[in-house]
Amino acid sequence: MPVSRSLFLLFLLHLAVLVVARRSIASSEKITSPWQTLSGNAPLVIAKGGFSGIFPDSSYHAYALALITSLPNVVLWCDVQLTKDGDGICFPYLNLGNSSSISYVFNDTKMYRVNGQLMEGFFSVDFTLDDLTNVYLTQGIYSRANKFDGNMFKILTVEDVAKQLKPPGLWLNIQHDAFFTQHNLSMRSFVLSVSRRVIVSYISSPEVAFLRSITARFKQSTTKLVFRFLRADDIEPTTNQTYDSILKNLTFVKTFASAILVPKNYIWPVNTDLYLQPHTSVVLNAHREGLEVFASDFANDVPLSYNYSYDPIKECLSFIDNGKFSVDGILSDFPITPSEAIDCFAHLSTNSSGKAPLVISHNGASGIYPSSTDIAYKQAFDDGADVIDCAVQMTQDGVSICLGSINLMDGTNVVQTDFNSRSTTIRQIQPIPGIFTFNLTWEEIKTLKPVISNPSRDFALYRNPAYKYAGSIFSLKDFLAFAKDKPLSVLISIENAAYLAESLGLSVTNAVIDALNQSGYNNQTNQKVMIQSSNRSVLIKFKEKTNYQLVYKIDEDIRDADDSSIKDIKQFAHSVAITKESVFPTNQLFLTGATNIVSKLQSSNLTVYVYLFRNEFVSQAWDFFSDPVVEINSFVMGAGIDGIITDFPGTATAYRNNKCLKMGKNKPYYMNPVEPGALMQVITAEFLPPAESPNPVLTESDVAEPPLASITKNITTTGNGTVASPETSPKSSGHLQSTACVFLSSLGMLLLLL
Ligand SMILES: *[C@@H]1O[C@H](CO)[C@@H](O)[C@H](O)[C@H]1NC(C)=O
Ligand SMILES: *[C@@H]1O[C@H](CO)[C@@H](O)[C@H](O)[C@H]1NC(C)=O
Ligand SMILES: *[C@@H]1O[C@H](CO)[C@@H](O)[C@H](O)[C@H]1NC(C)=O
Ligand SMILES: *[C@@H]1O[C@H](CO)[C@@H](O)[C@H](O)[C@H]1NC(C)=O
Ligand SMILES: *[C@@H]1O[C@H](CO)[C@@H](O)[C@H](O)[C@H]1NC(C)=O
Ligand SMILES: *[C@@H]1O[C@H](CO)[C@@H](O)[C@H](O)[C@H]1NC(C)=O
Ligand SMILES: *[C@@H]1O[C@H](CO)[C@@H](O)[C@H](O)[C@H]1NC(C)=O
Ligand SMILES: *[C@@H]1O[C@H](CO)[C@@H](O)[C@H](O)[C@H]1NC(C)=O
Ligand SMILES: *[C@@H]1O[C@H](CO)[C@@H](O)[C@H](O)[C@H]1NC(C)=O
Ligand SMILES: *[C@@H]1O[C@H](CO)[C@@H](O)[C@H](O)[C@H]1NC(C)=O
Ligand SMILES: *[C@@H]1O[C@H](CO)[C@@H](O)[C@H](O)[C@H]1NC(C)=O
Ligand SMILES: *[C@@H]1O[C@H](CO)[C@@H](O)[C@H](O)[C@H]1NC(C)=O
């Protein structure tokens, strides 16, 4: 057994004690509640097979992680299958071939009829519990990390889960009663017998006959019976009716169940284009009938409806905090997310705005609307961003505009227009051809349509197609006018200044200074102006002429910065923007540890902003549980960063407003930062990704650049843009020095979250 595993188990011993302690705390907090659940209590979180979004469904680790990261009264869900000798195991599918190593142990698959359909595979009815001793649980959902498959997670019985993990609540789902009956095995007997030995809080089934067969026996008990609805047009085997038609007679359901479990789209339907439709009255109808309603199919790593902007907490909130109803519980593969939603994010007054960290947009709310458009900026403002940003580009006629890229191919439909002929290769900017802002006039650019960015296109995760071509591009002047007199600071980012000066005689720095002055952002303004560049010469120029806050952008992943480089940066910048990877380095999307670059920079009085935060789960390390708030929180609470640069400012400001941040030491477990490297520790040697060479250390030569040269030529323009003296600056791209370093991840475990 690897060392990390035994450590893990050791921590779990502590866990059992803590869970008991937490339960008693929770039960003493009885306050009048705003919840629109049937009971008026907060909704429950049900962890499907444990934290099955990370560890194999129904594994010990999955259940343990769910207990640590969820509400104190989390309910552990077990899909019960019966073995040949009548024991009940927790396994997510009827077919054991699906998420276990059984096909390496046995080779005789069987073909059985299940609900009228033939199914081939390995079935528990053909194996005794003993036969399954050497069969291990594996990740059955192939889009999830299979890196934990080497852990030899044993198949657990229902009693194992109850006794080893001592969950505050246990939910048994009996998906297939009729199938086991056909094989002469009785679910009823098993369920009745196990519930005499362990406390079972909920028993669900999509089969009416099964629930009816046990109703009388559970009448006097605290165990609740739940009728599970499958897809609307699936046939319920007992009544031979569709689930849809059974939904129309909840009085009937009430005769054998006290609650229903429905797929989430029964409540908030999503159309085939992934847009949310108006909610149904299922919850209200069921509540009127006295039935509790649980909603299933919550997972952070599947495409959500566009209406949620890839924010899974937003999705949860629409089920529990919509002003009209609340479901009574959420069944999720990622139980941390509904836990946060219920405990920290529901029923917030919009007013409670926190102050830190600073929330800086990236091309406006570019996760929601096309980058740098009027509506993207408005959205960022409405979402409570502190700072909106303009990446300044120059047009052919010298107008400064805001656009995420100097290449119009990124962010506009230019290739579909006649301007496609203006494509050029300019090696100082990029090795491949582009259509650059300085090859079109402002009037020409205004005829282009902005296009929403899709950084996760490779994963078929798109941003809202309804807004694909929405909005219009802002000039810098428009941008400043928009921000003026709003409680907003502006960040102006300047790249390619040297090329523009040398080759085109355009001075971006002067253009920006003039535009700011003309827009009334002079030195006396109450509104803060930040200038960001990865070129020190640009910042030095601003330092000479203005007293704006200067942000040095380090555009490479680094693991450290040496003292002389920091000393140098201090000469011309107040703040530094670094990448996420520089704070928490990753290997194949697993955190390998944490650097101390943030505190090092801060100890030199440099403010540290981190880019780039995105809601799409594929942009986040596994360690953050596909939850953008867990990621943000880990950077803020774990690394102490001062500001977040994000495509989705609304998610960052919602994070900042959440109630749990104000709880100080009593912060719940799910509002603690993750332990970097903890998940990596659980990966067994043969599944570890190959070690990567560490990121380099920033040195003085990486920062150093000769000062900008003075004016060399005069230029004429045809437009009304601000055109001022050009500047030149030899390019500097000293290679970051890479020092070999033995990687030692911290011994901290996931469970150190406790
Ligand atoms: C596992 O189950 C899922 C969901 O039922 C199914 O889509 C998938 O094809 C199954 N995989 C295997 C190997 O049986
Ligand atoms: C199944 O495995 C056994 C023992 O490993 C082997 O003798 C047998 O030929 C295999 N059967 C098939 C159908 O592969
Ligand atoms: C179930 O039991 C019946 C009667 O004892 C027997 O005829 C039938 O073959 C059994 N079925 C299975 C799948 O074992
Ligand atoms: C179920 O209903 C369908 C159509 O409503 C009918 O054709 C079929 O015979 C029924 N089956 C049983 C077992 O009652
Ligand atoms: C609904 O179910 C109840 C109880 O089973 C039954 O009495 C009633 O006739 C059903 N109503 C309809 C419209 O099917
Ligand atoms: C979801 O978004 C679409 C497109 O923006 C909009 O038409 C629809 O009304 C939204 N749905 C809900 C329930 O708000
Ligand atoms: C917002 O804050 C103000 C001042 O602190 C207070 O008067 C107001 O009631 C608050 N509104 C809400 C909705 O909390
Ligand atoms: C784009 O502008 C650059 C710099 O002025 C110039 O060298 C290039 O020829 C222009 N390309 C086109 C297609 O206009
Ligand atoms: C702004 O401040 C800088 C440095 O403090 C000063 O040199 C410059 O003249 C000021 N500009 C204006 C317009 O006041
Ligand atoms: C940082 O700023 C504080 C107060 O402004 C000052 O006391 C301290 O010496 C500064 N530290 C460094 C390393 O510049
Ligand atoms: C640039 O223009 C200024 C006046 O606008 C003039 O004094 C200067 O000589 C010009 N420089 C060159 C290099 O043409
Ligand atoms: C240039 O500016 C002048 C004065 O501000 C204005 O009258 C003129 O219409 C502008 N021309 C263009 C092309 O915007």
Side-chain angles (χ1 to χ4, degrees):
M1 179 183 283
V3 175
S4 60
R5 261 194 93 201
S6 33
L7 256 181
F8 193 97
L9 297 177
L10 198 70
F11 279 113
L12 282 168
L13 291 176
H14 296 281
L15 172 70
V17 179
L18 277 157
V19 167
V20 174
R22 279 154 57 193
R23 280 174 74 186
S24 45
I25 295 166
S27 55
S28 63
E29 287 168 5
K30 199 85 184 178
I31 37 169
T32 49
S33 100
W35 293 105
Q36 291 172 300
T37 52
L38 185 62
S39 66
N41 294 332
L44 280 179
V45 173
I46 304 110
K48 191 191 158 294
F51 208 129
S52 52
I54 296 286
F55 291 119
D57 192 300
S58 310
S59 64
Y60 192 91
H61 282 41
Y63 285 127
L65 184 60
L67 289 178
I68 299 161
T69 56
S70 310
L71 289 177
N73 62 346
V74 63
V75 178
L76 299 188
W77 165 285
C78 160
D79 281 291
V80 184
Q81 319 295 342
L82 295 179
T83 61
K84 196 171 170 178
D85 46 347
D87 218 326
I89 56 168
C90 297
F91 197 91
Y93 308 103
L94 190 59
N95 177 2
L96 302 185
N98 206 320
S99 60
S100 82
S101 63
I102 195 163
S103 64
Y104 294 97
V105 184
F106 300 100
N107 59 8
D108 41 346
T109 59
K110 291 274 168 59
M111 181 90 88
Y112 289 130
R113 197 167 283 281
V114 180
N115 288 346
Q117 306 283 320
L118 279 177
M119 188 190 272
E120 189 182 358
F122 298 91
F123 297 85
S124 56
V125 295
D126 297 316
F127 302 95
T128 64
L129 194 55
D130 252 13
D131 293 337
L132 297 175
T133 312
N134 295 319
V135 174
Y136 302 110
L137 297 163
T138 58
Q139 184 51 266
I141 295 180
Y142 302 135
S143 55
R144 293 179 179 164
N146 68 353
K147 292 270 180 270
F148 305 111
D149 287 1
N151 284 63
M152 299 193 283
F153 294 123
K154 285 199 172 303
I155 293 177
L156 301 174
T157 64
V158 173
E159 271 189 89
D160 289 339
V161 174
K163 293 186 171 158
Q164 294 175 19
L165 289 137
K166 299 189 172 50
L170 180 62
W171 182 311
L172 303 183
N173 179 51
I174 312 301
Q175 193 74 358
H176 298 281
D177 172 56
F179 174 81
F180 289 102
T181 305
Q182 281 156 26
H183 291 265
N184 292 346
L185 288 166
S186 170
M187 263 302 176
R188 179 173 186 273
S189 308
F190 172 74
V191 163
L192 295 182
S193 114
V194 81
S195 60
R196 271 180 233 117
R197 282 170 283 141
V198 304
I199 297 169
V200 177
S201 317
Y202 296 87
I203 299 170
S204 62
S205 178
E207 296 185 8
V208 171
F210 175 71
L211 290 174
R212 272 182 173 160
S213 77
I214 59 171
T215 336
R217 295 295 293 267
F218 285 103
K219 237 188 186 99
Q220 306 304 321
S221 88
T222 54
T223 308
K224 292 184 180 171
L225 303 189
V226 185
F227 182 56
R228 180 176 201 181
F229 285 79
L230 303 181
R231 278 174 310 197
D233 51 3
D234 284 348
I235 305 281
E236 194 287 315
T238 312
T239 58
N240 195 26
Q241 286 183 24
T242 61
Y243 286 95
D244 200 26
S245 66
I246 296 177
L247 189 65
K248 297 196 174 76
N249 194 348
L250 291 170
T251 313
F252 169 62
V253 174
K254 186 74 207 257
T255 62
F256 54 84
S258 63
I260 60 173
L261 170 64
V262 296
K264 64 186 182 185
N265 66 7
Y266 271 56
I267 297 167
W268 281 105
V270 174
N271 69 15
T272 51
D273 293 333
L274 283 185
Y275 288 107
L276 202 60
Q277 308 297 296
H279 67 79
T280 66
S281 57
V282 165
V283 178
L284 292 169
N285 294 348
H287 281 176
R288 204 172 301 124
E289 200 64 54
L291 288 162
E292 287 190 303
V293 182
F294 298 95
S296 67
D297 300 303
F298 286 78
N300 294 354
D301 60 348
V302 293
L304 304 179
S305 164
Y306 294 118
N307 296 64
Y308 299 126
S309 311
Y310 287 96
D311 182 346
I313 289 184
K314 225 165 157 179
E315 181 188 45
C316 288
L317 290 175
S318 73
F319 285 83
I320 61 169
D321 182 19
N322 59 30
K324 295 185 183 122
F325 58 80
S326 167
V327 297
D328 301 279
I330 286 182
L331 173 62
S332 175
D333 292 6
F334 293 80
I336 192 172
T337 302
S339 298
E340 294 165 86
I342 291 166
D343 208 19
C344 311
F345 287 79
H347 310 132
L348 283 182
S349 78
T350 48
N351 232 358
S352 57
S353 184
K355 288 274 183 284
L358 199 69
V359 175
I360 305 169
S361 75
H362 175 249
N363 300 321
S366 57
I368 296 180
Y369 291 117
S371 297
S372 315
T373 52
D374 52 347
I375 49 180
Y377 289 121
K378 180 170 188 307
Q379 184 71 40
F381 171 64
D382 292 344
D383 282 344
D386 305 297
V387 184
I388 59 171
D389 69 304
C390 166
V392 173
Q393 316 296 347
M394 301 298 281
T395 67
Q396 193 177 52
D397 49 342
V399 179
S400 342
I401 64 168
C402 300
L403 205 62
S405 169
I406 194 168
N407 179 2
L408 291 163
M409 288 173 167
D410 306 330
T412 77
N413 68 339
V414 72
V415 290
Q416 282 129 42
T417 68
D418 292 345
F419 301 120
N420 200 19
S421 62
R422 307 229 185 139
S423 161
T424 341
T425 303
I426 297 179
R427 297 198 186 281
Q428 295 98 312
I429 296 176
Q430 58 179 49
I432 54 169
I435 302 169
F436 298 100
T437 55
F438 51 78
N439 284 125
L440 271 70
T441 65
W442 176 220
E443 286 304 319
E444 287 170 339
I445 288 174
K446 278 198 274 193
T447 67
L448 302 176
K449 281 188 189 145
V451 180
I452 203 161
S453 67
N454 276 310
S456 304
R457 181 191 290 111
D458 290 352
F459 300 89
L461 295 181
Y462 297 95
R463 289 175 174 174
N464 195 342
Y467 304 138
K468 186 168 180 192
Y469 296 119
S472 36
I473 298 168
F474 258 170
S475 68
L476 176 58
K477 209 169 129 203
D478 299 335
F479 169 85
L480 293 172
F482 170 79
K484 192 89 181 92
D485 302 324
K486 292 193 175 67
L488 275 175
S489 299
V490 294
L491 179 145
I492 301 193
S493 103
I494 300 175
E495 299 298 340
N496 301 303
Y499 171 80
L500 293 171
E502 262 173 56
S503 307
L504 309 178
L506 293 172
S507 167
V508 193
T509 53
N510 286 351
V512 168
I513 290 169
D514 289 351
L516 283 165
N517 285 341
Q518 281 165 23
S519 304
Y521 286 85
N522 52 36
N523 288 351
Q524 278 74 48
T525 181
N526 294 325
Q527 283 180 283
K528 195 154 88 179
V529 175
M530 298 155 82
I531 307 289
Q532 175 183 286
S533 183
S534 59
N535 182 324
R536 96 204 278 272
S537 309
V538 168
L539 298 180
I540 286 171
K541 186 138 183 207
F542 276 92
K543 186 170 185 200
E544 284 161 9
K545 297 196 175 176
T546 70
N547 56 12
Y548 299 139
Q549 191 195 333
L550 305 176
V551 184
Y552 183 55
K553 179 179 179 184
I554 299 175
D555 53 10
E556 275 157 289
D557 298 329
I558 54 171
R559 71 168 194 280
D560 199 359
D562 70 14
D563 291 344
S564 59
S565 69
I566 293 176
K567 205 168 149 214
D568 191 20
I569 293 169
K570 285 278 292 173
Q571 303 296 309
F572 60 84
H574 310 99
S575 318
V576 176
I578 57 178
T579 61
K580 293 195 296 189
E581 171 81 17
S582 303
V583 180
F584 293 125
T586 60
N587 185 351
Q588 293 191 8
L589 285 185
F590 284 96
L591 299 187
T592 58
T595 67
N596 70 353
I597 188 146
V598 176
S599 52
K600 192 164 178 182
L601 292 166
Q602 284 169 341
S603 67
S604 303
N605 286 350
L606 285 164
T607 313
V608 181
Y609 307 129
V610 174
Y611 66 97
L612 179 61
F613 288 84
R614 290 181 163 146
N615 282 1
E616 288 97 346
F617 58 89
V618 293
S619 70
Q620 299 149 11
W622 299 107
D623 302 66
F624 302 127
F625 307 130
S626 302
D627 181 329
V629 163
V630 174
E631 182 184 52
I632 292 173
N633 186 52
S634 297
F635 277 87
V636 174
M637 306 302 282
I641 68 171
D642 301 296
I644 290 171
I645 300 176
T646 173
D647 284 0
F648 295 88
T651 301
T653 58
Y655 160 74
R656 194 168 63 177
N657 288 345
N658 91 72
K659 290 185 276 206
C660 295
L661 282 189
K662 302 185 183 81
M663 295 180 180
K665 273 172 112 176
N666 297 324
K667 259 199 326 286
Y669 304 93
Y670 34 86
M671 260 306 148
N672 278 322
V674 303
E675 175 71 20
L679 272 189
M680 195 87 158
Q681 306 257 334
V682 187
I683 301 176
T684 55
E686 68 274 27
F687 281 80
L688 275 175
E692 287 180 340
S693 57
N695 293 320
V697 175
L698 188 77
T699 64
E700 195 177 357
S701 67
D702 302 318
V703 180
E705 275 169 288
L708 292 172
S710 54
I711 305 157
T712 52
K713 61 179 180 183
N714 283 352
I715 48 173
T716 55
T717 68
T718 53
N720 272 3
T722 317
V723 178
S725 326
E727 64 220 343
T728 56
S729 159
K731 282 152 296 298
S732 127
S733 57
H735 271 115
L736 296 179
Q737 284 171 14
S738 172
T739 327
C741 136
V742 181
F743 169 68
L744 285 173
S745 73
S746 88
L747 268 185
M749 298 297 305
L750 246 83
L751 297 157
L752 288 185
L753 289 172
L754 288 168

